[in-house]
């Protein structure tokens, strides 16, 4: 960056901070993203960099879990850094500083008085950008150096901070922060900080283990009454229980669920082989006041599995039967740890007076209050035919963590099965929302850029975002509706997650400055319903596809870091399916565009038939179906439909090649069977010449070719493995002509047979591909009958109306193959517009032919074309008499243009050539080609026809 005078401009954090405070734009290249996001949140909160006062709270717990776990670790750190200028702080999850240690005691004297004692707040919303506040906001390791601090008072300092988490729940319990002079920054401090946090977290886990051991000792001290007298602590894996390992897993899962409920209960469990046991949970408390539950398993003996003495006899009278719980195939780590703890605990002799207490009165299986503790009576006597063992012991919240973890695994498993069932981008993200509500979130929003919805990549994911999905437990929340554009503010968590590529957690939206600042009026309305948010980028294969928002409303507990990890995993799995759908949408769009480009764009101007057509691509993929309408000589019309085997780009490109070839062969005036023969040879040659075919070619393509002659009202048709056409006569009768099927194109060596049928005027010819009638869920014969009924109704329908009726009543709702449909209503050429006469092969009659033609043109009012027609007929009749054989027939057709035809019984066709200057002949066809708009030869079963078409404006 250079000033206008050529002097380089400073670009360090201090200069960029000043530019930011003055309201100038600052890019992420000069400031780390997390720091810039924090500055923006501070500005949206209205904080001043000169602010010196911090709030102070005196209602914190001075002997809380985080204090007990962190105090010994801080003492060791203080000893390690004795004599240095480092200060070490521990804050709770709200940013309230609870403990502080100094390498030099004199450092405390330089602090304001209220910062020398626990209780002052260092949360970002009060203190600006700092280590403790930013670690809580970003919930990860943070390093803040010098001018990166928002407050002026901290510009000469640096710090590193890392959240401390509960090892069981994953919840942030506090933050450990090292502060030091800016010049003393060292990478080693980050390493020491991480080790210290792990030590604090181990102590938190040790506190939980100690509480569990106290509960286990209380259970063992209580004892179990059996028929043989008191018995102490039967372990679950004792051989007497005879449990299969799979049964043990199942029982541990059910026990964790009972433990999470925190109440006295019993539930019957069916094991492998139909064997039934009963799980019994009962509250208990240790001598030190730790309240929890013990879950026992009662296994019936072989004599009376369901009768007296069975499991029901061992259920305490106070228990409440709970419904069966769903099982999962995985044993959770927390449950396994508790089970190992249970199995490893040695039995202790029972004291004379039991010390275990019932942790509170129970009413209908629920704790009504701790109240004065009272001794728990002995466990219900176990009948001689039953065996009782301890399965699990612990505090209810531990069981709740285990159950929540298992449900997360179940949700991930369900996501894998339910998301991506289609290749539709919108439907895929809808499946993500439907799977997540209400098991994970109460509301889900998905915003995608418009290019992604079209199957493309978005150059700027933040531009053109469209609300694609809003799904939740209610429909009346004031979320931005589907289809409306979304614009997020620069500090919104959705923008942060798209920028960083990771999920952004806002546990409490009431204090989420970035979220509140984007649209204060809208967010205020939402706050009446939702309270917690996780924004996750929809990212797959390096492509940003959009952003997903998970909102919590009914559950009073906010989202936590475990929820953020789960949301990230959910969206990651959905993102792959979404990207697959996007790629498919792009490819399908390209193939469909190519397919439509290769199909006819318009209908030729002709009077033989009235035509309507439809092309309907398959729902899953685009195939190679095609159709064509080809004007032929003699006022005839050619109708083609075909189907190339396979789907995708290759099939569409192959379709274009076959359609072009079929049109070329048809325009050479070959009959239908010869056209199919030439196409068959072409397909075989294409397959043989394809270097990348590897045996998978286009063999199997089908085709139907129909030629209609309006002068004779007859059709000639042939097919190559294609469904026959439907013929609807003027009286409404529908038939499928008996037309030899013929082999599909590409097999080679087999002939094609043509059939000629009469077609009355005002009939309808319906040509279609197999996608219309073939479907895995429908019988072809029934569909043909259905098509017959649709065509028989209202025979007066136009071709356009017939197409609509067929697609509405016959076409499958979700076609798995392309459908090409061509409907032609036939017309007859007015006999008054046809003039024909036969001539003997006598050259003297050429003049008479010219005279008759002139008189006929005068009757039609075409005197202006007489000169050209006389010359054309003179040359054609002379050639037929001189070079042909048999009688000569002359025909004139007034059909939009004037067509002159001369036929004879010879198969020898004339060829146009350039005559030399000394040649006496060879100029007749050259003269015909100059006078006519077009000319050609059409072969007949016996003989040929030479024709020439003149425009009506010919002079």
């Amino acid at each position: 960056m250079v000033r206008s005078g050529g002097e380089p401009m400073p670009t360090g954090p201090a200069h960029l901070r000043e530019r930011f405070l003055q309201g100038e734009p600052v890019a992420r290249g000069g400031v780390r993203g997390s720091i810039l996001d924090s500055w923006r949140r501070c500005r949206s909160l209205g904080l001043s960099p000169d602010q010196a006062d911090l709030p102070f709270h005196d209602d914190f717990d001075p002997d809380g879990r985080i204090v007990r776990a962190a105090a010994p670790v801080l003492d060791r750190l203080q000893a390690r850094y004795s004599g240095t200028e480092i200060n070490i702080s521990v804050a709770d999850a709200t940013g309230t500083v609870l403990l502080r240690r100094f390498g030099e005691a004199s450092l405390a004297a330089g602090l304001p008085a209220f910062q020398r004692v626990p209780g002052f707040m260092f949360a970002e919303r009060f203190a600006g950008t700092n280590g403790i506040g930013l670690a809580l906001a970003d919930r990860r390791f943070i390093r803040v150096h010098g001018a990166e601090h928002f407050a002026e008072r901290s510009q000469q300092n640096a710090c590193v901070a890392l959240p401390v988490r509960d090892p069981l729940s994953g919840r942030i319990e506090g933050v450990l922060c090292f502060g030091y002079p800016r010049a003393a920054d060292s990478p080693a401090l980050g390493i020491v900080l991480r080790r210290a946090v792990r030590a604090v977290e181990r102590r938190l886990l040790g506190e939980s283990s100690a509480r569990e051991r106290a509960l286990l000792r209380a259970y063992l001290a209580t004892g179990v009454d059996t028929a043989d007298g008191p018995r102490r602590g039967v372990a679950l894996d004792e051989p007497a229980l005879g449990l299969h390992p799979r049964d043990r897993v199942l029982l541990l899962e059910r026990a964790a669920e009972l433990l999470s409920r925190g109440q006295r209960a019993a539930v019957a469990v069916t094991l492998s082989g139909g064997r039934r046991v009963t799980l019994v949970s009962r509250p208990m408390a240790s001598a030190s006041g730790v309240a929890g539950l013990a879950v026992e398993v009662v296994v019936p003996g072989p004599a009376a599995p369901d009768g007296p003495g069975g499991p029901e006899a061992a259920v305490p009278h106070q228990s409440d039967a709970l419904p069966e719980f769903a099982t999962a195939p995985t044993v959770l780590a927390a449950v396994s740890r508790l089970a190992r703890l249970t199995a490893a605990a040695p039995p202790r002799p029972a004291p004379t007076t039991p010390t275990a207490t019932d942790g509170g009165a129970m009413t209908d299986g629920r704790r009504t209050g701790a109240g004065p503790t009272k001794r728990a009576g002995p466990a219900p006597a176990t009948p001689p035919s039953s065996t009782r063992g301890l399965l699990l012991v612990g505090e209810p919240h531990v069981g709740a963590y285990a159950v929540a973890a298992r449900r997360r695994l179940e949700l991930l498993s369900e996501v894998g099965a339910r998301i991506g069932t289609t290749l539709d981008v919108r439907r895929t993200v809808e499946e993500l929302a439907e799977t997540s509500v209400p098991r994970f979130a109460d509301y889900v929003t998905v915003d995608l850029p418009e290019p992604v919805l079209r199957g493309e990549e978005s150059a700027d994911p933040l531009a053109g975002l469209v609300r694609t999905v809003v799904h939740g437990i209610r429909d009346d929340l004031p979320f931005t509706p589907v289809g409306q554009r979304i614009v997020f503010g620069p500090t919104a968590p959705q923008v942060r997650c798209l920028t960083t590529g990771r999920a952004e957690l806002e546990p409490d939206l009431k204090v989420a400055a970035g979220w509140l600042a984007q649209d204060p009026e809208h967010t205020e309305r939402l706050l009446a319903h939702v309270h917690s948010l996780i924004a996750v980028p929809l990212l797959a294969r390096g492509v940003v596809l959009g952003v997903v928002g998970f909102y919590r409303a009914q559950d009073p507990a906010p989202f936590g870091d475990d929820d953020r990890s789960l949301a990230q995993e959910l969206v990651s799995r959905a993102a792959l399916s979404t990207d697959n759908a996007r790629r498919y949408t792009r490819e399908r769009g390209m193939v469909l565009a190519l397919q439509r480009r290769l199909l006819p764009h318009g209908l030729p101007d002709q009077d033989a038939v009235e035509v309507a057509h439809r092309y309907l691509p398959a729902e899953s993929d685009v195939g190679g179906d095609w159709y064509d309408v080809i004007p032929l000589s003699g006022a005839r019309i050619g109708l083609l439909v075909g189907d190339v085997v396979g789907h995708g780009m290759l099939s569409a490109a192959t379709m274009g090649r076959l359609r072009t070839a079929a049109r070329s062969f048809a325009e050479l005036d070959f009959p239908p069977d010869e056209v199919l023969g030439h196409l068959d040879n072409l397909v075989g040659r294409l397959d043989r010449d394809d270097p990348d075919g590897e045996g998978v070619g286009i063999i199997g393509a089908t085709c139907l070719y129909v030629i209609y002659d309006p002068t004779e009202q007859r059709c000639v048709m042939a097919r190559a493995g294609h469904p026959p056409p439907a013929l609807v006569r003027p009286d409404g009768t529908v038939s499928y002509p008996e037309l030899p099927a013929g082999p599909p194109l590409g097999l080679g060596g087999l002939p094609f047979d043509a059939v000629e049928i009469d077609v009355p005027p005002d009939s309808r010819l319906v040509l279609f591909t197999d996608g219309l009638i073939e479907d895995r869920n429908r019988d072809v014969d029934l569909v043909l009958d259905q098509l017959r009924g649709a065509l028989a109704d209202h025979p007066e329908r136009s071709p356009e109306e017939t197409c609509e009726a067929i697609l509405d009543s016959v076409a499958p709702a979700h076609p798995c193959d392309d459908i090409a449909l061509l409907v032609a209503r036939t017309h007859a050429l007015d006999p008054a517009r046809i003039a024909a006469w036969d001539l003997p092969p006598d050259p003297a009659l050429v003049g008479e032919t010219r005279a008759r033609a002139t008189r006929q043109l005068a009757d039609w009012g075409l005197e202006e074309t007489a000169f050209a027609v006389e010359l054309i007929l003179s040359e054609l009749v002379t050639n037929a008499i001189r070079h042909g054989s048999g009688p000569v027939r002359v025909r004139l057709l007034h059909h939009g243009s004037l067509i002159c035809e001369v036929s004879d019984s010879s198969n020898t066709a004339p060829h146009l050539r350039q005559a030399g200057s000394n040649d006496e002949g060879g100029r007749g066809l050259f003269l015909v080609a100059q006078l006519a708009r077009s000319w050609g030869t059409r072969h007949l079963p016996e003989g040929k026809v030479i024709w020439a078409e003149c425009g009506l404006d010919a002079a």
Side-chain angles (χ1 to χ4, degrees), residues 168 256-257 260 332-335 338 397-407:
L168 289 179
E257 292 177 344
S260 68
L332 303 171
V335 179
L338 293 177
H397 68 274
V398 176
Y401 299 152
V403 172
R406 179 164 63 83
R407 288 175 178 168

Side-chain angles (χ1 to χ4, degrees), residues 830-837 848-866 869-870 873 890-894 898-900 952:
D830 186 355
R833 291 177 174 267
I834 304 174
W837 56 91
E848 181 182 343
T849 301
R850 291 197 298 266
R852 294 184 64 175
T854 301
R855 289 194 299 270
Q856 185 62 60
L857 293 177
D859 292 341
W860 287 341
L862 302 177
E863 292 87 351
E864 294 180 357
T865 63
V869 171
E870 286 182 3
L873 286 178
V890 177
R891 189 169 72 158
L892 298 179
L893 302 177
H894 183 194
L898 186 64
I899 301 173
C900 304
L952 297 182

